[in-house]
């Protein structure tokens, strides 16, 4: 059995908090219509996807950029996963096509005039997160039960 400790890929577990914040702020936006909650949802969507991808890379002991623009670049992180891991998920092309938009949310939701997007786009990102998470969990389970 492969011995992997939680601390070996802690960013995966850290992705759960912004995911919960994404859901909470999206609910608040739906109840109030206040755009600030949609902006926060976008920021947290970017954070949970970034941390999830980095956590998967940590699991496989693959180095990734930690500073500068590349440290938050979803497309770069996704490319590293595609090139270096067996993790596969159905919505990879959708995430790749949304990657530049999501990467911009890291700053647009907190600075400037905010994010211009639709609720459906944020929900789409949430669904992609769920799918990646499930694919990763299935892979881990298959490895742990291999021996």
């Amino acid at each position: 059995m492969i011995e992997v400790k939680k601390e070996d890929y802690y960013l995966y577990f850290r992705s759960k908090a912004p995911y919960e914040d994404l859901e909470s702020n999206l609910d608040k936006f739906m109840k109030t219509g206040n755009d600030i909650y949609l902006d926060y949802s976008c920021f947290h969507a970017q954070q949970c996807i970034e941390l999830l991808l980095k956590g998967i890379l940590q699991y496989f002991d693959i180095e990734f950029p930690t500073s500068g623009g590349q440290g938050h670049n979803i497309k770069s992180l996704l490319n590293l996963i595609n090139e270096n891991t067996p993790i596969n998920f159905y919505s990879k092309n959708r995430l790749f096509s949304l990657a530049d938009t999501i990467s911009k949310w890291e700053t647009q939701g907190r600075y400037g005039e905010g994010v211009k997007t639709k609720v459906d786009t944020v929900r789409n990102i949430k669904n992609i997160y769920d799918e990646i998470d499930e694919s990763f969990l299935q892979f881990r389970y298959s490895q742990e039960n291999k021996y």
Side-chain angles (χ1 to χ4, degrees):
M1 177 167 21
I2 296 174
E3 287 288 329
V4 180
K5 300 179 200 109
K6 179 177 177 179
E7 58 270 13
D8 292 338
Y9 56 110
Y10 67 91
L11 290 176
Y12 167 80
F13 296 97
R14 286 191 59 196
S15 75
K16 303 301 181 180
Y19 180 85
E20 291 173 8
D21 291 338
L22 157 64
E23 290 181 317
S24 173
N25 282 292
L26 201 52
D27 286 345
K28 289 176 185 175
F29 173 74
M30 298 307 290
K31 289 176 184 169
T32 67
N34 187 336
D35 284 345
I36 193 78
Y37 294 118
L38 187 57
D39 287 349
Y40 289 155
S41 295
C42 291
F43 170 72
H44 292 300
Q46 185 280 334
Q47 290 289 289
C48 70
I49 291 286
E50 176 185 334
L51 291 169
L52 177 63
L53 297 178
K54 286 180 176 179
I56 292 169
L57 291 168
Q58 276 183 327
Y59 178 86
F60 288 101
D61 200 27
I62 297 165
E63 290 187 27
F64 52 85
T66 57
S67 61
Q70 293 305 306
H72 303 292
N73 188 304
I74 301 301
K75 197 175 278 186
S76 294
L77 296 171
L78 185 56
N79 281 333
L80 285 171
I81 285 176
N82 286 339
E83 295 165 5
N84 300 290
T85 77
I87 300 299
N88 199 5
F89 54 95
Y90 177 75
S91 59
K92 215 175 254 191
N93 289 337
R94 272 191 339 206
L95 179 57
F96 198 79
S97 69
L98 290 167
D100 290 336
T101 299
I102 299 166
S103 295
K104 291 176 187 171
W105 289 352
E106 199 269 327
T107 54
Q108 285 179 338
R110 296 181 296 157
Y111 309 111
E113 296 179 22
V115 176
K116 307 294 184 234
T117 194
K118 296 179 180 177
V119 171
D120 287 344
T121 303
V122 180
R123 285 189 178 134
N124 192 11
I125 301 306
K126 181 183 170 302
N127 292 338
I128 291 171
Y129 176 97
D130 291 337
E131 185 183 336
I132 298 169
D133 188 33
E134 181 63 27
S135 296
F136 180 57
L137 291 174
Q138 286 178 2
F139 174 82
R140 282 181 35 222
Y141 180 78
S142 72
Q143 295 306 299
E144 291 167 5
N145 292 303
K146 200 174 194 175
Y147 303 99

